[in-house]
Structures are given as structure tokens and as C-alpha cells.
Amino acid sequence: MTLTLISAKPSPFARKVRIALIEKGVEFVVQNEVPWHADTQTSRYNPLEQLPILIPDDGDPVFESTYLMDWVEYRYPHPSMLPDDPDLAMQARLVHVIAEGVVDAMLLLFWEMQRDSVSADWTKRQLRKVKGGLADLDRRVGEREFIVGDRFGMADIAVIAMLGAHDTMVEVEMIPAWQQYTPDMASWRALYPNLVRFEAHHRDRPSVNATAPHMFDLVEKVV
């Protein structure tokens, strides 16, 4: 089977899938797009016009990153990205949910900052989600090598993708904009030492290093 992953260079959602495929030794090719530009092809494959989209050569396109992670796990079960113990597997999925929620809030904040009139109350609420999720994940990581279980897997992938997304927010200078609404907001690297240690430990892992995010240029107005 040949797989094509339609992705976007900074996308943490696509990065999760890329890391999982690399960890499983699955060959795939990446097709990068900017899903908000007029020439995007996403609507051909996903009615929701969202990335990532995985296109197998023997079936329909598969999309939505959480579902994609499950699809990849089902189609390519070895090595598993989930612990063998069911309780630990559920913990890993919970970490995935928390990390995904932080990413969702950060991206909503990014787009809100592009508006001519920003909602202060709405922005503060999203920033509480970002800070709350990061603090919870920092606690869960603690001093462990892997967040859940004894091997690299879904929980670690989700958190690494989330941290990379936060770094992208720093790169595009979102932190000063956020501090107008939440003065003690800062880069995760300044606030969460357990996550700093965790990310440094896994930074040179081939699947992590090969998928480092890169911001694209937005040449069309989105909001």
C-alpha cells in the first residue's frame, strides 16, 4: 500500500500522524498544502476541509487526526503506540485528549489575534485552557522518560506535537499578544520544567527530529 499524507508544515495534527507512521516503519509521502488558500485541494478529499488527510491507494481518504491515529494503529498494529495494559492505554488516550485540547485552544487564539476586534473574555478563557492543560501535563510527565507506560507511544507523540505547536506560537510572536490578556503567560519552556526535560530527552529521536514544524506564509486573508 502506498500512503500519501496531505499535511501542512507547522501542523501539530499532521505531525502526530507522521511520527506514528515513522515509528511503525510505514512508508509514506508528504504533500504539503496551506488549507486556507484558494488553491487548496483539501475539499476534494475531506468535506470538512481540514488537514491532515491520509490517502491510501486502495481505499477512501482518511482524515481527522485523532481518528487517523486510531486508523494507523489498527492498520499497522506493530509496534503498538499504546501500552498493552488496558488501563494504561486509556491513560495514554486521555493524555492525547488533553494535548489535543491545548493545541485547539492555541490555534483558536492565533486566529482570534488576527481579528480587528478581539474578544478579551473569550481570549482569556482559551488562555486558561492552554495554561491548565500544560500544567496538568507537566504534572503527569513528572520525572518519567515516557508519560505513560515503559515505551514511546501515543501519549508522548501527542505532547511532543503540542509543544512544537507552542514553539510555533512563540516564533510568530503570539506570546506578547497573549500577555495583554493574561500577563503571566509565557513560553512553556519558561514555566514547565518537567516538560522541558521530557522534550529535551526525546528531541533527537529520529521520528521527532524529522518532523519538526516549520511555519508557512499566509498570503490570503483568513479572518
Side-chain angles (χ1 to χ4, degrees), residues 58-219:
D58 64 347
D60 293 332
V62 189
F63 43 84
E64 202 283 318
S65 63
T66 300
Y67 176 73
L68 266 172
M69 292 292 283
D70 288 337
W71 187 91
V72 168
E73 188 69 14
Y74 176 78
R75 293 295 294 267
Y76 305 97
H78 305 293
S80 177
M81 294 294 103
L82 289 168
D84 297 329
D85 180 87
D87 290 336
L88 291 180
M90 293 305 296
Q91 289 182 36
R93 290 185 182 279
L94 177 59
V95 169
H96 186 196
V97 167
I98 297 168
E100 189 98 338
V102 172
V103 170
D104 284 340
M106 287 193 295
L107 293 179
L108 289 171
L109 284 162
F110 175 82
W111 294 119
E112 184 70 12
M113 295 299 104
Q114 314 307 310
R115 297 184 183 277
D116 295 331
S117 179
V118 174
S119 169
D121 289 340
W122 191 91
T123 296
K124 290 176 183 178
R125 185 167 188 267
Q126 301 308 315
L127 286 168
R128 288 198 301 271
K129 295 179 185 180
V130 173
K131 292 184 66 178
L134 284 167
D136 185 76
L137 292 169
D138 188 72
R139 175 187 64 81
R140 290 174 185 272
V141 171
E143 298 182 356
R144 289 183 289 277
E145 178 180 4
F146 307 110
I147 300 176
V148 178
D150 58 2
R151 65 177 186 265
F152 189 80
M154 180 183 289
D156 309 295
I157 292 170
V159 171
I160 286 168
M162 176 204 68
L163 296 175
H166 200 286
D167 283 339
T168 300
M169 295 296 106
V170 174
E171 178 187 343
V172 299
E173 301 181 345
M174 280 292 104
I175 300 298
W178 294 349
Q179 287 173 337
Q180 297 178 51
Y181 304 94
T182 302
D184 62 348
M185 191 68 192
S187 165
W188 66 272
R189 296 181 185 275
L191 298 176
Y192 305 105
N194 295 332
L195 289 174
V196 171
R197 178 202 54 77
F198 169 81
E199 189 272 344
H201 179 76
H202 294 288
R203 186 182 306 155
D204 293 328
R205 190 178 185 93
S207 63
V208 174
N209 182 271
T211 59
H214 300 284
M215 189 57 183
F216 47 48
D217 292 326
L218 290 171
V219 298

